[in-house]
Amino acid sequence: MRTVLLLLSALLATGCGLTTQVRPVPRGAVQVEGALGGPLVNLGPVIPVPLSTVGARYGVAERVDVAAHVHLTSLTFGVAGLDVGGSWLALAQDGAVPALSLGGRLYGFTSVLASREAPPRAYLEVSPTVSYLLGGRFLSYASATGLVQLAGGPPLLSLAVGEEVRLASWGVQLELRWYQPDYATRFNAANWQGIGDMGALGALLGVRYRFGGDEE
C-alpha cells in the first residue's frame, strides 16, 4: 500500500491525466471533455497509467475560455481532485506562422477517507503552446508545462507534442508527453519508462464535444 500511495503522490504532483488545451473554445461555446492516460510504467508490459478526468470549458471572450475538471482515478485511492483554469490565445495563426496560446490551471487534492488523513495539496500550472491548424481539421501542437508545488518543492517540468483531429462538433486528441525530463528515473518510486534514465514518457487520449458558440 505504501508503494501505491507513493505512486499516486508522484502522479498527482505532475498533473497527469489531462491533455493540453491547445486553443480556447470559441466565445459562447460549451465543451465537455474527458481524457485517459498518463506516464508509461514497466509492470512486465510497458503500459500507460490509466488516469482519467472529465470536465468542461466555456468561451468567455473571443480568445479566452475558462475550464474545470474532476480527477476520477484518484478517488479510487480516497483522494478527491479538482482543477480550475483556462486558456488565452495570445497570437492567432497567420499564414505559415503558428498560433501561440497560454494555459493555466490550479489543482487541489485532498483525502476523503478518515482512515487516510493527509493535508490538502495545491499546485499551479502554466503551459505555453504553439499550434498549427491544417485544412480546418488537423491541429498539430507542441507544449511545455511548468508546475509549481505550493506546499514546497522544486518546480516540475514536462514537454508534449500531439495531434487533435476535429470532426464537426467532435474532437479526438492523442498526446505524447515527457514528464520531468530533467529528473533521473532511478530516484522515483515506480519503474517509469523514460528516455535513457531521465523522466517518464506518457501517452494520453482525449475526446471532446462542443455545443454552440461563435465560429473559429
Side-chain angles (χ1 to χ4, degrees):
M1 180 59 69
R2 177 177 173 79
T3 299
V4 171
L5 292 177
L6 286 172
L7 175 61
L8 180 63
S9 176
L11 294 173
L12 297 183
T14 53
C16 301
L18 283 164
T19 53
T20 300
Q21 174 58 34
V22 184
R23 297 183 184 181
V25 299
R27 179 177 55 189
V30 175
Q31 178 172 282
V32 293
E33 54 193 25
L36 176 68
L40 300 173
V41 63
N42 192 343
L43 299 175
V46 177
I47 59 173
V49 177
L51 298 171
S52 58
T53 59
V54 294
R57 292 190 168 270
Y58 176 69
V60 297
E62 184 179 352
R63 294 189 176 191
V64 180
D65 68 6
V66 293
H69 302 86
V70 175
H71 296 245
L72 301 178
T73 306
S74 62
L75 287 173
T76 306
F77 301 92
V79 177
L82 175 71
D83 71 81
V84 294
S87 60
W88 167 52
L89 184 63
L91 293 173
Q93 181 175 322
D94 184 8
V97 179
L100 171 65
S101 61
L102 183 66
R105 292 186 176 112
L106 179 64
Y107 297 86
F109 295 95
T110 187
S111 173
V112 293
L113 295 180
S115 60
R116 192 174 297 159
E117 293 184 2
R121 295 286 181 175
Y123 307 88
L124 178 64
E125 174 188 282
V126 177
S127 301
T129 302
V130 293
S131 62
Y132 194 84
L133 181 63
L134 182 62
R137 178 169 294 184
F138 301 100
L139 184 63
S140 304
Y141 65 91
S143 179
T145 297
L147 187 140
V148 178
Q149 306 179 73
L150 299 183
L156 305 175
L157 173 68
S158 65
L159 306 172
V161 294
E163 186 76 22
E164 179 181 338
V165 180
R166 298 180 168 187
L167 304 169
S169 297
W170 289 92
V172 179
Q173 185 175 356
L174 178 62
E175 180 170 304
L176 301 178
R177 183 170 288 272
W178 190 11
Y179 300 94
Q180 293 184 259
D182 56 340
Y183 189 78
T185 54
R186 64 180 178 274
F187 298 125
N188 285 333
N191 186 15
W192 302 120
Q193 181 66 47
I195 297 179
D197 291 330
M198 304 302 293
L201 294 174
L204 300 104
L205 176 67
V207 178
R208 55 198 60 186
Y209 185 83
R210 184 178 299 166
F211 302 88
D214 298 341
E215 292 295 327
E216 289 185 90

